[in-house]
């Protein structure tokens, strides 16, 4: 049997078995719009080795033993339950990055249609958060290695990511409600804030999947740069306000624009919270592993 599961269809089949508890192979085939024969072909080696049991339940311990993809850099066992949840965290990170990119692009070009599209994506982000939350409960009941602390950590990370999605929503809402170009030099500073806060979020997600030992130092540097950019953006907006003729029609424009600036800052802050939580989690896991070997 293969030692490394790289078949995407097989992964989708295993996801359905783990999270949706199908009764038959026909049900699996229907969900993926593939033939039952192909499902049987992919599952046969796993059924023969009793990794998959009737009625289609994954034996996570055996699944972990037959796969090499759970080994970490420090040889800490990354059990299959943890692998499944991390895949979902990774997918949610990619979803939020797309939502963030569309939101800023809409802001930059005052594109109301793209802004609405970005805002609609928040429903998918919320759905992914709920899926992770429910899946951790499922995994902990099936995987003896998936400890309660893991559940708390991954739920906390998913919640923080969902909060980032909420803050991103302020950007397309501004575009839709105000429908007015953000002029230079303000938009230039906001673009720098977007790039910096997005970098912080990307680093936070990667740190959750695999600890970056230098993440604390990197995040501190990014935080200082983002704070300086926030001050500069506030200064530029205030200068523009002083030159503009403030009236009832445009009075909310600047108030909501300041909220957009604050959103970039909050995305950076929450990204730091994610890295701090995951760093502490990995440190505690390493400590527990060392103690178990000692005894």
């Amino acid at each position: 049997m293969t030692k490394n599961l790289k078949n995407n269809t097989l992964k989708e089949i295993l996801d359905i078995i783990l999270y949706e508890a199908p009764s038959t192979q026909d049900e699996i085939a229907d969900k993926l719009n593939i033939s039952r024969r192909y499902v049987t072909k992919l599952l046969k080696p796993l059924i023969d080795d009793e990794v998959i049991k009737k009625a289609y339940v994954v034996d996570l311990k055996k699944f972990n033993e037959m796969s090499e993809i759970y080994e970490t850099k420090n040889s800490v066992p990354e059990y299959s339950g943890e692998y499944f949840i991390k895949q979902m965290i990774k997918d949610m990170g990619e979803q939020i990055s797309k939502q963030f990119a569309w939101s800023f692009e809409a802001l930059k070009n005052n594109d109301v249609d793209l802004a609405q599209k970005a805002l609609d994506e928040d429903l998918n982000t919320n759905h992914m958060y709920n899926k992770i939350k429910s899946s951790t409960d499922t995994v902990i009941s099936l995987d003896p290695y998936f400890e309660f602390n893991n559940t708390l950590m991954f739920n906390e990370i998913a919640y923080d990511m969902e909060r980032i999605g909420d803050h991103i929503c302020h950007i397309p809402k501004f575009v839709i409600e105000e429908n007015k170009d953000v002029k230079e030099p303000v938009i230039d500073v906001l673009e720098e804030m977007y790039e910096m806060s997005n970098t912080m979020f990307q680093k936070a997600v990667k740190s959750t999947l695999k600890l970056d030992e230098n993440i604390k130092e990197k995040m501190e540097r990014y935080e200082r740069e983002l704070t300086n950019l926030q001050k500069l953006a506030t200064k530029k907006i205030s200068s523009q306000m002083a030159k503009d003729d403030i009236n009832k029609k445009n009075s909310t424009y600047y108030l909501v624009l300041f909220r957009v600036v604050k959103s970039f800052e909050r995305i950076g802050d929450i990204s730091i919270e994610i890295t701090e939580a995951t760093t502490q989690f990995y440190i505690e896991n390493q400590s527990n592993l060392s103690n178990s070997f000692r005894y």
Side-chain angles (χ1 to χ4, degrees):
M1 179 172 52
T2 178
K3 285 289 185 180
N4 205 341
L5 297 178
K6 293 184 178 179
N7 188 302
N8 289 332
T9 304
L10 178 55
K11 181 188 179 302
E12 290 176 341
I13 291 171
L14 291 169
D15 283 347
I16 289 174
I17 292 172
L18 182 60
Y19 302 119
E20 300 184 31
S23 301
T24 65
Q25 289 189 8
D26 286 321
E27 187 177 339
I28 298 170
D30 288 343
K31 286 180 180 292
L32 295 178
N33 197 26
I34 58 178
S35 69
R36 183 186 184 282
R37 183 176 181 181
Y38 189 43
V39 173
T40 302
K41 178 183 176 182
L42 291 178
L43 285 181
K44 188 177 185 306
L46 300 180
I47 293 174
D48 289 345
D49 285 355
E50 296 186 341
V51 176
I52 303 293
K53 299 179 180 180
K54 296 290 183 69
Y56 305 108
V57 174
V58 180
D59 185 324
L60 289 171
K61 185 174 181 181
K62 286 191 176 182
F63 184 42
N64 179 66
E65 290 170 353
M66 55 75 68
S67 177
E68 294 177 345
I69 57 178
Y70 308 123
E71 293 181 5
T72 64
K73 178 182 176 182
N74 299 312
S75 298
V76 179
E78 183 175 4
Y79 301 108
S80 46
E82 185 172 337
Y83 168 76
F84 277 113
I85 300 301
K86 280 188 174 181
Q87 282 295 106
M88 297 169 76
I89 291 284
K90 181 175 179 290
D91 291 343
M92 187 175 179
E94 292 173 354
Q95 161 66 23
I96 291 173
S97 293
K98 178 176 72 173
Q99 180 185 348
F100 201 6
W102 286 357
S103 296
F104 183 75
E105 190 67 22
L107 177 69
K108 189 175 180 180
N109 299 314
N110 191 30
D111 188 332
V112 174
D113 291 337
L114 184 58
Q116 187 60 58
K117 189 176 178 181
L119 199 58
D120 292 342
E121 280 299 309
D122 194 51
L123 294 174
N124 292 328
T125 299
N126 292 338
H127 174 71
M128 291 178 126
Y129 163 61
N130 290 327
K131 184 178 178 183
I132 291 172
K133 194 175 177 184
S134 62
S135 296
T136 50
D137 294 336
T138 302
V139 171
I140 199 172
S141 67
L142 295 174
D143 187 350
Y145 299 104
F146 198 76
E147 298 177 353
F148 182 66
N149 285 343
N150 299 48
T151 302
L152 293 178
M153 195 278 284
F154 285 119
N155 281 345
E156 179 182 347
I157 299 306
Y159 172 68
D160 284 340
M161 291 171 71
E162 194 265 344
R163 287 167 61 206
I164 285 176
D166 289 342
H167 284 290
I168 289 172
C169 286
H170 290 307
I171 302 170
K173 284 179 181 177
F174 168 83
V175 177
I176 294 168
E177 292 171 4
E178 299 302 322
N179 194 15
K180 180 180 177 181
D181 289 333
V182 179
K183 300 177 183 178
E184 296 178 355
V186 174
I187 190 62
D188 297 329
V189 182
L190 293 184
E191 185 164 13
E192 290 187 70
M193 291 194 75
Y194 160 69
E195 290 173 354
M196 182 55 62
S197 55
N198 188 42
T199 295
M200 294 176 76
F201 174 66
Q202 298 286 344
K203 294 290 185 183
V205 174
K206 287 181 180 178
S207 182
T208 300
L209 303 177
K210 189 173 183 180
L211 180 63
D212 178 353
E213 294 177 357
N214 299 315
I215 191 64
K216 186 175 185 295
E217 181 181 344
K218 291 177 183 177
M219 281 298 194
E220 288 175 350
R221 184 174 72 252
Y222 296 147
E223 183 182 25
R224 288 193 297 271
E225 292 180 19
L226 188 59
T227 299
N228 290 335
L229 287 170
Q230 182 193 11
K231 292 178 180 177
L232 181 59
T234 301
K235 182 178 178 181
K236 296 294 183 183
I237 295 171
S238 298
S239 177
Q240 198 173 92
M241 284 180 65
K243 297 176 183 178
D244 203 354
D245 180 19
I246 304 297
N247 53 46
K248 187 176 181 180
K249 186 175 180 181
N250 65 11
S251 61
T252 62
Y253 171 85
Y254 289 106
L255 291 176
V256 184
L257 188 56
F258 277 122
R259 183 184 297 169
V260 169
V261 172
K262 187 66 176 177
S263 295
F264 288 124
E265 182 207 18
R266 290 299 297 136
I267 291 166
D269 289 343
I270 298 171
S271 297
I272 290 173
E273 291 175 19
I274 292 173
T275 56
E276 288 176 346
T278 53
T279 300
Q280 186 62 33
F281 171 77
Y282 281 112
I283 290 173
E284 289 177 358
N285 270 13
Q286 287 282 0
S287 177
N288 292 337
L289 186 66
S290 299
N291 290 335
S292 65
F293 285 145
R294 187 177 304 156
Y295 295 105

